[in-house]
Amino acid sequence: MSHEFKTGAKDLKAWESLAQKELGQPSLQGIFRETPEGIKLKPLYTADDLKYLNVQDSLPGFAPFTRGPRATMYSHKPWTIRQYAGFSTAEESNRFYRANLKAGQKGLSVAFDLATHRGYDSDHPRVVGDVGKAGVAIDSVEDMKILFDQIPLGEMSVSMTMNGAVIPILAAFVVAAEEQGISQAQLTGTIQNDILKEYMVRNTYIYPPAPSMRIVGDIIEYTARHMPKFNSISISGYHIQEAGANSAIELAFTLADGIEYVKAALAKGLKVDEFAPRLSFFFAIGMNFYMEIAKLRAARQLWHKLMQEFEPKDPRSSMLRTHCQTSGYTLTEQDPYNNIIRTTIEAMAAVFGGTQSLHTNSFDEAVGLPTPFSARLARNTQLIIQDETDICHVVDPFGGSYLMESLTQDLIAKAEAIMSEIEQAGGMVAAIQKGLPKLKIEEAAARKQARIDSGHDVIVGVNKYRAENDAAFDVLDIDNSAVRQSQIQRLNEIKGKRNAQEVQKSLSTLEQGAKNQDNLLALAIECMRARATVGEVSDVLRKIFGEHKAPIQSIQHVYASEFSNTSDFEKIQNEVAKFAELEGRQPRILIAKLGQDGHDRGAKVIATGFADLGFDVDIGPLFQTPEEAVKQAIENDVHAIGISSQAAGHKTLVPQVIELLAKEGANDIAVIVGGIIPHQDYEFLYSKGAAAIFGPGTPVTTAASETLRAIANLRQANANS
């Protein structure tokens, strides 16, 4: 779509002339900016832009809901402050929740640890480094009851971010509520239940796509009939953007996922108006202020259009409602208090876009879970916007803006083009099985990282205006070993007290139901009532459905193509060439993800960046144990293992890798660690033998150069010993 100025209007021609004079040049093209979505932003928008796009005026609360799903929006009731939290044990999380509710939070949003996400009990050998990290450990109904102790589930809206082990977790929630005296019909809240995005980005899947889609349908069916106030699915674009997607990709993939879920529910025999009003969405809000506002407006308009295919009679069936969360990716370890400013800007974009609820990230989440101090600041950011400004008094203040209406339509056009590609691939499930969405996201992530590393995109405090000394701040530290031991003790107590025959009977019924197409949530509720565990229920379904194994794939030449500072890039390439000349082969590195941490944006960016710089790069499969990673490293004869850690398991898993290398006589393999690692952990990791550590914001070129140096230093040290 062309965005040339229309010079026919006298006033616009006069503006052009004045602008050229101010710029001191005959062309205005220098002040056009192309966004990551490929949309050209003009420096000036006029009424002609709206005529050109044929923008139709609409009102809040009316189709196509561009200006908001409710007529009065925040002027009647502000958005819900729904802070996402969960860590360590159910007891610790419960104390945190109750303190936040007392301080003004209006809804709960639960983060589970990765062991729970992947359907493992805390005593499983594959989750030694994951229990209680990056979320709360839940193994049974007893944990769920403690999590919501003294929190009335009949009054409190609860959102749970759960996809892989969604069946036992939602079942445990239902049983915990029942044992509080709360019926299923009274429960309000949301279960994420969005498995398709897991195959693209977050990777906390368990089963292959087909049975996973059956699970989605079973939950929509059950909740539509027994839990009418509960949102059966939260279709998430958040993790898609966090993994590197731009707004157009996030919007397109999220809505395409949503259409797949609608079809899955219809296949269960439900009518569209029986379930569609309870569908909700979840979007990320980053630092592209105007684009994020436009994205929420575009999402509502586009969803209304897409839903007309299913001929809904209830207007709510085509009304997109959304939760938003400020970006975690934009948080920086360097000059961390800048993150408070970033989060405020992102929160305002979400509000101007018309979100229904909001989570604001804490400034310290670049390196760890929030402390009570940082969490209070994040929550108060929303309270200040609600209570100390006029923002809530006007519905859709950007409505009618030449820029915003134009940008909204441009974004719809970009998203529709991407969705057309998905349709041509056979729909979202087919596209995911071919790996197409994942590659598109990873390509966007690599381009973004190259633009930052080369200084093309400015990040204040990171690649421009660096502080001489980074501010010190406390980072929440979870004793993983203590949490795991506590969970194992409770598991043993539950198994000692429960009726083993009832448990086995319920699990056998679940197994048969999985074969017979019975509703899995209904059967799992009976299992959890009998005190089966999350792992036991998940293992039954693993037995019937199998496990999903993601293909290992990588992209090449994307990072290099976007790196604008060619002299820096060539300098590292020369270092790699010199290493290869001395060694007789290219430096070889294994990029490893250990434990149940499926967040692989950093690992994939490093893999493509290092490959473009001349490294031979092996990528290990997700969810490796230290033993598996060491075996692969030795067999592939690598110079280094690069461990990417995003979920705080590094203090447990990295030392295990180093010990195993020593045991196998492979001391010449350097262990490099990168990701979300607080500075307070550096000394510990170095003392255990880590050769180099790269925190958030480290340029790929810097990491590559220091990796070469670490390999050389280790070789020299071994030669001297």
Side-chain angles (χ1 to χ4, degrees):
M1 184 179 294
S2 174
H3 274 300
E4 297 303 317
F5 288 113
K6 294 181 179 295
T7 55
K10 184 178 179 182
D11 53 350
L12 190 55
K13 195 165 186 177
W15 178 85
E16 270 196 316
S17 177
L18 182 60
Q20 288 168 349
K21 185 177 179 181
E22 289 178 359
L23 289 171
Q25 57 189 39
S27 172
L28 299 180
Q29 291 304 311
I31 54 176
F32 280 74
R33 177 182 179 270
E34 187 167 292
T35 72
E37 295 76 18
I39 296 171
K40 187 167 282 189
L41 283 180
K42 300 193 306 183
L44 178 69
Y45 288 79
T46 70
D48 280 349
D49 291 289
L50 303 194
K51 291 177 186 176
Y52 176 69
L53 291 168
N54 194 28
V55 174
Q56 300 297 312
D57 193 18
S58 64
L59 293 171
F62 292 89
F65 308 108
T66 311
R67 301 197 66 186
R70 299 282 183 264
T72 55
M73 291 299 287
Y74 312 139
S75 63
H76 168 65
K77 182 184 177 183
W79 65 93
T80 300
I81 298 173
R82 189 186 294 280
Q83 293 298 90
Y84 176 61
F87 55 90
S88 182
T89 62
E91 291 91 341
E92 286 295 320
S93 294
N94 174 262
R95 277 192 284 272
F96 187 79
Y97 291 158
R98 286 193 281 126
N100 278 5
L101 292 171
K102 188 177 179 181
Q105 186 171 314
K106 300 300 182 185
L108 293 179
S109 193
V110 183
F112 298 94
D113 73 358
L114 291 169
T116 305
H117 273 290
R118 294 266 296 143
Y120 292 113
D121 288 335
S122 297
D123 58 358
H124 198 284
R126 296 194 76 89
V127 299
V128 172
D130 299 299
V131 178
K133 292 285 193 181
V136 60
I138 298 292
D139 293 319
S140 72
V141 168
E142 296 304 320
D143 288 331
M144 196 70 81
K145 288 171 69 175
I146 294 167
L147 185 66
F148 295 113
D149 182 42
Q150 300 179 58
I151 296 173
L153 293 177
E155 303 170 18
M156 181 61 58
S157 172
V158 176
S159 174
M160 293 179 286
T161 300
M162 175 54 64
N163 303 288
V166 64
I167 285 287
I169 286 298
L170 184 53
F173 175 72
V174 167
V175 175
E178 287 176 349
E179 295 184 9
Q180 260 193 19
I182 309 302
S183 71
Q184 295 180 25
Q186 292 175 276
L187 291 172
T188 61
T190 304
I191 186 76
Q192 190 163 93
N193 193 27
D194 175 9
I195 198 62
L196 291 179
K197 71 99 171 37
E198 298 296 334
Y199 299 115
M200 287 187 272
V201 288
R202 194 160 170 260
N203 301 312
T204 60
Y205 46 71
I206 303 174
Y207 319 110
S212 292
M213 286 299 290
R214 173 191 166 182
I215 287 170
V216 170
D218 281 0
I219 290 171
I220 294 174
E221 177 187 40
Y222 187 92
T223 54
R225 291 175 177 161
H226 302 283
M227 302 164 66
K229 296 181 179 180
F230 200 81
N231 298 322
S232 56
I233 191 166
S234 173
I235 304 151
S236 175
Y238 183 86
H239 305 96
I240 294 173
Q241 186 184 113
E242 287 291 281
N246 60 47
S247 293
I249 295 173
E250 178 193 5
L251 182 57
F253 288 173
T254 305
L255 298 189
D257 284 350
I259 293 301
E260 292 283 357
Y261 297 137
V262 169
K263 291 176 180 177
L266 292 172
K268 287 287 180 181
L270 293 170
K271 295 179 180 178
V272 67
D273 290 330
E274 288 185 276
F275 65 88
R278 303 309 306 171
L279 302 179
S280 68
F281 288 79
F282 174 28
F283 286 104
I285 305 295
M287 286 296 288
N288 294 334
F289 186 75
Y290 296 133
M291 188 66 72
E292 297 295 14
I293 298 169
K295 181 178 71 184
L296 299 188
R297 303 174 90 252
R300 289 191 291 268
Q301 185 174 327
L302 192 48
W303 183 248
H304 174 268
K305 178 180 177 181
L306 292 168
M307 287 299 290
Q308 300 319 296
E309 173 190 347
F310 308 106
E311 301 180 355
K313 302 296 186 292
D314 187 339
R316 297 175 303 161
S317 294
S318 53
M319 178 192 295
L320 183 145
R321 299 166 300 113
T322 189
H323 171 71
C324 289
Q325 181 175 340
T326 60
S327 175
Y329 173 74
T330 62
L331 302 178
T332 66
E333 178 188 31
Q334 300 86 351
D335 217 351
Y337 293 112
N338 288 344
N339 294 333
I340 300 172
I341 302 160
R342 293 185 179 103
T343 294
T344 303
I345 292 167
E346 292 168 351
M348 291 178 71
V351 171
F352 285 136
T355 190
Q356 278 57 73
S357 61
L358 179 61
H359 167 93
T360 33
N361 286 329
S362 300
F363 75 86
D364 51 359
E365 289 186 74
V367 291
L369 291 171
T371 62
F373 170 71
S374 66
R376 178 173 173 270
L377 285 178
R379 182 185 62 250
N380 286 355
T381 299
Q382 296 195 54
L383 290 172
I384 289 167
I385 294 172
Q386 285 188 357
D387 294 335
E388 295 190 26
T389 73
D390 286 338
I391 287 172
C392 288
H393 298 165
V394 178
V395 179
D396 189 29
F398 276 87
S401 157
Y402 302 145
L403 160 68
M404 191 53 63
E405 299 294 1
S406 182
L407 195 54
T408 298
Q409 298 308 313
D410 284 350
L411 194 50
I412 287 173
K414 288 289 183 182
E416 286 183 323
I418 297 169
M419 291 182 74
S420 178
E421 293 177 28
I422 296 299
E423 284 183 32
Q424 290 171 17
M428 203 62 185
V429 173
I432 286 170
Q433 289 171 331
K434 295 172 184 174
L436 301 180
K438 193 171 182 66
L439 280 177
K440 200 175 190 76
I441 293 165
E442 289 173 1
E443 180 181 335
R447 291 188 189 282
K448 177 64 177 177
Q449 191 61 48
R451 289 165 68 90
I452 293 171
D453 289 354
S454 62
H456 186 279
D457 289 356
V458 172
I459 309 294
V460 173
V462 176
N463 62 4
K464 196 172 184 180
Y465 312 116
R466 284 289 310 252
E468 289 186 11
N469 298 297
D470 285 334
F473 59 94
D474 294 331
V475 177
L476 186 67
D477 187 36
I478 304 295
D479 186 344
N480 164 247
S481 299
V483 175
R484 186 167 184 265
Q485 202 55 47
S486 170
Q487 289 298 119
I488 291 173
Q489 182 178 344
R490 186 177 296 144
L491 270 170
N492 292 336
E493 289 172 0
I494 291 167
K495 290 178 179 179
K497 292 178 181 178
R498 69 188 185 179
N499 185 319
Q501 286 185 324
E502 283 187 19
V503 173
Q504 191 53 52
K505 181 181 177 182
S506 67
L507 291 172
S508 296
T509 304
L510 174 66
E511 181 177 345
Q512 194 60 42
K515 297 175 182 176
N516 293 341
Q517 300 298 312
D518 296 334
N519 189 286
L520 295 174
L521 179 56
L523 296 175
I525 288 172
E526 295 304 319
C527 294
M528 302 312 281
R529 283 196 185 113
R531 288 328 190 244
T533 68
V534 169
E536 287 170 337
V537 170
S538 300
D539 283 346
V540 167
L541 299 181
R542 279 187 178 95
K543 180 180 176 183
I544 304 303
F545 299 148
E547 291 188 82
H548 178 67
K549 302 294 184 184
I552 299 172
Q553 52 189 7
S554 61
I555 53 176
Q556 293 183 337
H557 311 307
V558 173
Y559 182 87
S561 68
E562 287 290 329
F563 203 97
S564 58
N565 191 340
T566 54
S567 61
D568 281 358
F569 197 85
E570 289 171 357
K571 177 176 177 290
I572 309 303
Q573 284 183 314
N574 290 335
E575 290 181 19
V576 172
K578 185 177 179 181
F579 179 97
E581 185 180 343
L582 291 171
E583 286 283 320
R585 63 185 179 114
Q586 300 300 115
R588 192 178 190 99
I589 186 169
L590 168 65
I591 306 297
K593 292 291 298 181
L594 303 181
Q596 302 308 304
D597 175 14
H599 298 82
D600 62 350
R601 173 178 182 160
K604 290 299 182 67
V605 167
I606 286 291
T608 185
F610 272 43
D612 286 356
L613 287 164
F615 280 71
D616 283 338
V617 179
D618 299 321
I619 304 175
L622 289 171
F623 317 125
Q624 278 190 311
T625 63
E627 291 82 0
E628 290 164 347
V630 166
K631 183 174 184 290
Q632 183 179 358
I634 293 172
E635 288 177 350
N636 291 8
D637 193 20
V638 302
H639 295 100
I641 301 175
I643 300 173
S644 172
S645 176
Q646 304 294 315
H650 49 270
K651 290 176 72 174
T652 301
L653 298 171
V654 172
Q656 289 182 15
V657 168
I658 294 169
E659 288 169 11
L660 287 165
L661 286 171
K663 184 178 177 182
E664 296 294 330
N667 301 62
D668 58 336
I669 297 178
V671 175
I672 314 299
V673 192
I676 298 179
I677 303 169
H679 271 284
Q680 67 194 36
D681 293 349
Y682 281 28
E683 185 177 347
F684 170 81
L685 292 174
Y686 280 131
S687 72
K688 295 296 182 179
I693 302 169
F694 307 121
T698 304
V700 173
T701 48
T702 300
S705 180
E706 293 188 13
T707 295
L708 292 175
R709 192 173 300 114
I711 294 169
N713 289 343
L714 182 62
R715 293 288 177 90
Q716 187 63 48
N718 287 337
N720 293 338
S721 63

